[in-house]
Amino acid sequence: MHELKIVREQREGYGCLKRFRSSADVYESFKEHFDKLDREHFLVLLLDAKNGILGFNTVSVGSLTTSLVHPREVFKPCVIHNDTVKEQYSEKEATKEIYEQIIRHAAAAIILMHNHPSGDTAPSQEDLHITKRIRELGDVFGVCVLDHIIFGNGRYVSFVEDGYWDK
């Protein structure tokens, strides 16, 4: 039997924001990361209940034109992160303050991000389909999917801001 652990590492180069207020904030923080990639990378950004940044996770690395994304892999870092937070406080006496800390540091929302190395930021049918599926499962898990942002050729598309959210 193996023990599985998630490693949390501090990363440089993702800006100094503590909270995201718009898709433009996300774009500015991650554009350098996505600009240098030659294959599709799909990331999930974990946020707390006030859109404070908890971290991000690479869900999938694909090819030039596609990346295989399964909802299970999208929500895995949320579940692992939330279990880790609960473990930090489990040995302490359960008080209102402890419960507030657990809620404050839990992943309450996510933003989906990926790149199109071709530079064309228009969402594909697969992008629309997987986003809808992840949003539906987010409702079941109690994790709000706030947006899906596609990076490409120095620009981005936000599903929410650009009218793809309800398609």
Side-chain angles (χ1 to χ4, degrees):
M1 182 175 299
H2 300 283
E3 179 180 2
L4 302 175
K5 294 184 177 186
I6 190 165
V7 177
R8 186 174 180 173
E9 297 176 330
Q10 184 69 31
R11 295 288 183 191
E12 298 287 327
Y14 292 95
C16 59
L17 292 175
K18 302 265 189 256
R19 185 172 324 287
F20 288 124
R21 300 193 193 300
S22 69
S23 59
D25 289 347
V26 176
Y27 173 74
E28 288 300 321
S29 293
F30 284 88
K31 68 180 178 182
E32 288 182 26
H33 172 85
F34 284 110
D35 280 349
K36 57 189 170 189
L37 301 175
D38 64 345
R39 291 174 277 172
E40 279 200 18
H41 285 228
F42 193 101
L43 279 67
V44 61
L45 180 63
L46 280 65
L47 304 171
D48 66 16
K50 295 186 177 182
N51 293 346
I53 303 160
L54 297 172
F56 67 92
N57 180 260
T58 301
V59 174
S60 175
V61 176
S63 66
L64 177 64
T65 59
T66 190
S67 183
L68 180 62
V69 177
H70 193 284
R72 171 185 56 237
E73 303 306 318
V74 171
F75 288 103
K76 185 189 307 183
C78 297
V79 172
I80 292 172
H81 175 81
N82 291 351
D83 283 348
T84 303
V85 169
K86 287 177 190 172
E87 285 176 13
Q88 287 178 323
Y89 295 101
S90 66
E91 295 178 8
K92 299 178 182 176
E93 184 179 334
T95 64
K96 180 181 177 196
E97 290 79 23
I98 295 299
Y99 285 121
E100 287 174 354
Q101 287 292 324
I102 291 171
I103 291 167
R104 186 175 304 120
H105 292 100
I110 60 174
I111 295 176
L112 310 172
M113 305 180 285
H114 81 281
N115 64 314
H116 283 175
S118 68
D120 180 4
T121 55
S124 68
Q125 285 301 312
E126 293 83 9
D127 294 337
L128 296 169
H129 174 75
I130 193 63
T131 302
K132 182 179 179 191
R133 181 134 187 249
I134 292 169
R135 287 178 64 198
E136 290 168 352
L137 289 171
D139 290 341
V140 172
F141 290 132
V143 175
C144 183
V145 181
L146 297 177
D147 203 349
H148 185 163
I149 301 170
I150 301 176
F151 294 71
N153 203 23
R155 60 184 192 263
Y156 71 97
V157 164
S158 158
F159 276 45
V160 170
E161 294 173 8
D162 296 315
Y164 296 104
W165 203 236
D166 294 318
K167 289 190 175 186

